[in-house]
Amino acid sequence: MKIKNTAYFYLTFFILALLLSIKLNAQEVQFSGFTRLVTGASINDKTPYEEHHGDFSFKPDSLIGLQLDVPINKTFSATAQILGTRDKHKNSGLEWLYLSYTPNASTNIKLGQLRTSFFTYSDVLDVGFAYHWIKPPEEVYASFFFSHFDGINLQHHIVNKTFTTKIEAFYGKFNDEVSFSDQTFTPDVENFTGLVLTTEFNALSIRAAYSQANVSIKDDNLMPLITTLHQLNQSTAAQALLIDDKMKYYQLSINYDAFDYFIKTEWLSLKHDLHLIGEGTSYYISTGYQLNDYTFHLTYADRDDNFSRKLPSLSLPSTPSLKPLISTYNGIQAELIEADQNSWSLGVRWDLKSDLALKAELKRTHYSFTHNNVNVLMLALDWVF
Amino acid sequence: MKNFTKAIFLFSFIIPTSFAQENIWVITQKLSSEIKLSKQEVRQIYLGININLTDTITSSATTLSSSHQIRSIFNAQVIGLTESRLQSYWAHMRFSGRTKPPKEYPTINSLLKHLEATKGSIGYVPADTELPDNLIVIYPEN
């Protein structure tokens, strides 16, 4: 379990708020939570899907989250949410810890450690009960690589007779461990800024979001090579190996939620000037129909990665002493694989009770680079309390 | 394709039509000025976005318990979502720190008593329900 130093500040603040609330008034402290058991296995071939092999392990995606909401007075409240998981791509610990200020019916300001809201479901990615899939399509949602940030979030609603507009803006930073492509990094994310506009007209909802951040990732494996390239006056090549740039996310989603059926689409584009991380666009379209307590759904998702910036050539003589360095440098370009993929998934969600859902999903993913198809059967039990 | 279209049309309208037989009134306490809400406004209030009913009074939704048949009718006619999809929506709202579901009352009488005593609270009852003197219908508009 990893809790950052900055979290102690918020934790202290939260405990003070809690004590204050108990002392000042007797408003009810609310305790709630969510948990999920997820298992799955690749079928018809031996290729593992994420962490799921042929053994239907529950380890990778099963988790539990606990949330405490403390009303302080009519306008202030405090919230904490902790997560426990054995997924190696996630950290157990504090996901939310914030103070909320609601000055009027249409405005809310949160300050503290907050969940990111790049996409429609990114702030509830761990709460399986909140969506119909077992996991939102990875073609879109795997692009998202940090789940929370320290900062401020402002939400404002405008409701009129025919439509509702929701405006959300946020600003903050992130400095914690993340796992990506089986490696753990500690990115330094500064000036994380975003604007989300959502318009709802009866069953139709359109969400457009823009987020940007200055992202700096220090890859210890590359640092000796970068240092050597600098010493050999190959600064352009050395700079190209650094991950230090502004990343920009563009998101658009259109959802139609009718009484017993829905159509949901979401499109994402990631832009930056980095050489070692691919840019790309991805989208999904998902439709579902509800019959009594069963929701049957079908989803197509696609991801198109693009390494448009090739690493600059080295202007070094191919001497025996430099050959290993040149070979290592050229090998990096060869390892930059465009992870294009698409998938079809067919699933059913059975709402056993108002707080309990059982899900089954069959998913076929095509990986363009390996020309490989992986079929996966997954089962999940989602519970909120 | 023709059959598919027919099936979609049929499935889309069977359940709402069966619920549409009983009309719903959305009610609140008498306010200083006359107010009528559109379906969009009522829907938003019941999805957790409160609005100013007057300069000083803000809406606050109350609902019947999930086993109550009138709630199913209200879900179909006004909110336009099934109960299970509403529960899924509330999980999203609650665990993303946005808003919380309306307070539930087991019977229409207990709901009416709460509305009589609480300014800005909004509830729903079957149309033509005999209302206490200080409660008025704010939806439908006509």
Side-chain angles (χ1 to χ4, degrees), chain B residues 23-74:
Chain B
N23 288 323
I24 293 287
W25 280 351
V26 176
I27 56 175
T28 191
Q29 263 191 42
K30 280 179 184 164
L31 299 164
S32 53
S33 55
E34 195 177 326
I35 184 168
K36 288 284 183 184
L37 300 180
S38 67
K39 185 176 178 181
Q40 162 76 9
E41 288 171 311
V42 175
R43 185 176 192 268
Q44 290 301 322
I45 291 170
Y46 272 89
L47 291 177
I49 297 178
N50 288 319
I51 63 172
N52 290 325
L53 298 174
T54 69
D55 289 346
T56 54
I57 296 170
T58 303
S59 67
S60 170
T62 57
T63 189
L64 293 164
S65 54
S66 57
S67 57
H68 209 292
Q69 199 203 349
I70 300 300
R71 172 158 159 164
S72 305
I73 296 168
F74 180 75

Side-chain angles (χ1 to χ4, degrees), chain A residues 340-371:
Chain A
D340 293 359
Q341 66 180 72
N342 59 63
S343 68
W344 283 97
S345 56
L346 181 67
V348 60
R349 169 183 169 140
W350 176 21
D351 283 277
L352 291 149
K353 289 175 66 183
S354 62
D355 54 5
L356 188 68
L358 182 64
K359 299 173 181 175
E361 207 167 290
L362 195 60
K363 183 168 184 168
R364 180 183 181 85
T365 304
H366 174 74
Y367 297 96
S368 298
F369 180 72
T370 54
H371 301 288

Side-chain angles (χ1 to χ4, degrees), chain A residues 81-94:
Chain A
Q81 189 186 97
I82 57 168
L83 185 72
T85 175
R86 295 180 70 193
D87 184 348
K88 66 179 183 181
H89 295 299
K90 287 179 186 162
N91 287 328
S92 290
L94 213 54

Side-chain angles (χ1 to χ4, degrees), chain A residues 145-203:
Chain A
F145 66 92
F146 55 100
S147 61
H148 58 258
F149 68 103
D150 299 326
I152 188 166
N153 175 295
L154 167 74
Q155 290 176 30
H156 185 71
H157 305 132
I158 302 163
V159 181
N160 69 24
K161 292 275 180 196
T162 50
F163 64 89
T164 300
T165 301
K166 300 174 183 175
I167 303 160
E168 183 178 347
F170 50 85
Y171 178 81
K173 63 177 187 174
F174 172 84
N175 184 244
D176 200 353
E177 282 185 358
V178 290
S179 294
F180 191 68
S181 299
D182 291 330
Q183 291 189 61
T184 300
F185 303 101
T186 307
D188 191 10
V189 179
E190 298 288 339
N191 295 323
F192 177 50
T193 315
L195 185 67
V196 184
L197 294 175
T198 308
T199 297
E200 293 176 13
F201 175 72
N202 292 327

Side-chain angles (χ1 to χ4, degrees), chain A residues 116-169:
Chain A
T116 51
S117 51
F118 291 106
F119 315 125
T120 304
Y121 294 104
S122 53
D123 52 4
V124 283
L125 217 47
D126 299 320
V127 189
F129 194 84
Y131 42 81
H132 58 284
W133 305 285
I134 289 179
K135 291 173 82 176
E138 65 182 277
E139 284 78 4
V140 172
Y141 280 78
S143 310
F144 144 77
F145 66 92
F146 55 100
S147 61
H148 58 258
F149 68 103
D150 299 326
I152 188 166
N153 175 295
L154 167 74
Q155 290 176 30
H156 185 71
H157 305 132
I158 302 163
V159 181
N160 69 24
K161 292 275 180 196
T162 50
F163 64 89
T164 300
T165 301
K166 300 174 183 175
I167 303 160
E168 183 178 347

Side-chain angles (χ1 to χ4, degrees), chain A residues 222-356:
Chain A
L222 287 176
M223 288 320 286
L225 179 60
I226 292 169
T227 306
T228 309
L229 288 170
H230 272 300
Q231 288 165 350
L232 294 168
N233 291 325
Q234 302 295 309
S235 299
T236 311
Q239 283 297 120
L241 295 179
L242 291 174
I243 300 174
D244 189 358
D245 192 37
K246 183 183 282 184
M247 297 182 91
K248 293 174 272 189
Y249 287 88
Y250 301 86
Q251 183 265 6
L252 180 70
S253 63
I254 302 173
N255 296 334
Y256 189 81
D257 280 290
F259 180 72
D260 49 4
Y261 70 93
F262 61 81
I263 301 169
K264 295 174 188 288
T265 68
E266 192 160 6
W267 172 90
L268 163 79
S269 177
L270 173 63
K271 297 282 181 193
H272 55 71
D273 290 328
L274 298 170
H275 291 74
L276 298 186
I277 294 179
E279 293 183 298
T281 56
S282 48
Y283 68 90
Y284 68 78
I285 179 163
S286 181
T287 184
Y289 176 71
Q290 187 173 354
L291 186 65
N292 298 324
D293 295 327
Y294 300 92
T295 304
F296 303 93
H297 55 90
L298 179 69
T299 301
Y300 177 74
D302 186 88
R303 172 172 163 172
D304 185 10
D305 269 9
N306 182 19
F307 285 94
S308 56
R309 288 167 193 82
K310 301 291 177 200
L311 287 175
S313 301
L314 296 176
S315 52
L316 291 172
S318 184
T319 60
S321 61
L322 290 175
K323 258 187 178 173
L325 181 136
I326 295 169
S327 168
T328 304
Y329 179 80
N330 292 336
I332 292 170
Q333 180 73 59
E335 284 177 19
L336 300 178
I337 298 163
E338 292 178 352
D340 293 359
Q341 66 180 72
N342 59 63
S343 68
W344 283 97
S345 56
L346 181 67
V348 60
R349 169 183 169 140
W350 176 21
D351 283 277
L352 291 149
K353 289 175 66 183
S354 62
D355 54 5
L356 188 68

